[in-house]
Amino acid sequence: MDGPDERLEILITGGTLLTMDPPGEILENRAIGIRGGRILFVKEMDARGDFPEAKEVLDASGCLVLPGLVNTHAHLPMVLFRGLADDLPLMAWLNDHIFPAERRFINRDTVYAGSLLAMAEMILSGTTTFCDGYFYEGAVARAAIDAGMRGVTAQGFIDFPADPQGAAEKAADAERFADKWRSRSPLITPALMCHSPYTCSPDTLRAIKAVAREREIPFLIHLAETREEERIIRECHGKSPVRHLDDLGLLDGRTVASHCVWIGDEDLSILAARGVKVAHDPESNMKLASGVAPVPEMLRRGIAVGLGTDGAASNNDLDLFGEMGTAARLHKVFSSDPTALKAETVVEMATIGGARVLGLEKEIGSISPGKWADLILVERGSPPLTPLYNPFSHLVYAASGADVAASVIGGRIVMKGRRLPGIDLPAVMEKVRRIAERIAAAGFHRSALPLCKGEERA
């Protein structure tokens, strides 16, 4: 018998394994050993069952076992505004409703509560890693550690509306945030986010990117999301949003650009040449009528693309299974090509592809010895998943987050049997309801979006 220090933390037995190493690999009847939070081995089961003793055994019979899903773009605390202002174009949604609500109700306590609720939703639906950009991001990081969830947490910066800090002050805040969280927990990867080219001045964009580049951490930005953004940047700077950021020196392999809907051939060439990563948010783009990002062409050009939900105020859920199905169907109908974004490709975008976007592909995204043990078990016995011919097809076109039976993050079971041992979900939901009562009772006033920020009309 193994000594207590040599026991496995978890042994997962049986099931159909989708390792994503390489993408498309399907293995039957395997055992996964987890020790020290990482995957120790992936072995074929045999009649003897000759494996080290484990503190806990998960029987995956009747399940698909795959890497945990990676949400490459979210604003977790915005669950507080879910359904607050639906069926509006982006600029009206932001300026008339969201920005005013954030000014009045966003603080460390509300961000922490909203983040815990968002993490509960994500864990229950199979997401094990998120990339978040918001304000009071230290509260998001604390919530992730408390919930046992892996996160790329990006402190957000914005000039409009009404941030009196200059670029130098923002850069100092960025340095403090990055230095505080870079070694705090293996679950947390600090990052920095500028909201967009139209809400941040060139000075702010350059200053925040300089901090991210110096500390070798991700830099996030909304980019070319809407036709209105394209118009504003061209009128202000005489060029496309992508060219504008490139001329400012912001685009490189640690830049994660979200949306990238209104981009042309030259923009795609720039993104590919600079190694920029893209977070694709199909449901948010559809709901806000922003348009359709040219994802198949991005992939053909070698641009790394992952899936994101965006915030729950513009989606309105955080279920990446739904996002996978939407992505696959959207690009087929938009291109009139039923082979566009095949199911296997979409699952790759949600797992190892998402890890690649966040610079974490050596640590997560596939079930491989040495990587963190971030994986999920998906029940395959429900009516929508019966019969099962192709597991990738079922995951994209038939499964939902409700089919996830267990989630493991860093060798810790964070959900089993639809229960969350690390989150007091009723208490969190009650806290959010109390916040929502105050939000519902308040009125918001329209604020005007300036044509340019930081420079005169070109």
Side-chain angles (χ1 to χ4, degrees), residues 271-290:
L271 296 178
R274 301 289 183 260
V276 174
K277 314 301 194 300
V278 173
H280 178 42
D281 312 279
E283 292 188 4
S284 176
N285 292 342
M286 291 170 66
K287 182 167 179 277
L288 293 169
S290 299

Side-chain angles (χ1 to χ4, degrees), residues 440-458:
F444 304 113
H445 301 287
R446 183 177 179 82
S447 56
L449 181 68
L451 176 64
C452 304
K453 182 64 185 176
E455 290 187 4
E456 296 180 351
R457 182 190 299 267

Side-chain angles (χ1 to χ4, degrees), residues 233-272:
I233 298 303
R234 285 197 180 275
E235 291 187 359
C236 286
H237 306 290
K239 61 192 77 172
S240 74
V242 172
R243 172 59 73 183
H244 174 52
L245 295 192
D246 191 45
D247 287 349
L248 292 174
L250 270 62
L251 302 184
D252 59 29
R254 287 194 176 91
T255 298
V256 180
S258 300
H259 302 292
C260 294
V261 173
W262 291 90
I263 57 177
D265 186 73
E266 180 190 22
D267 298 322
L268 285 166
S269 296
I270 292 172
L271 296 178

Side-chain angles (χ1 to χ4, degrees), residues 95 131 149 208 218 265 287 417:
N95 296 316
C131 179
M149 193 168 190
I208 300 305
D265 186 73
K287 182 167 179 277

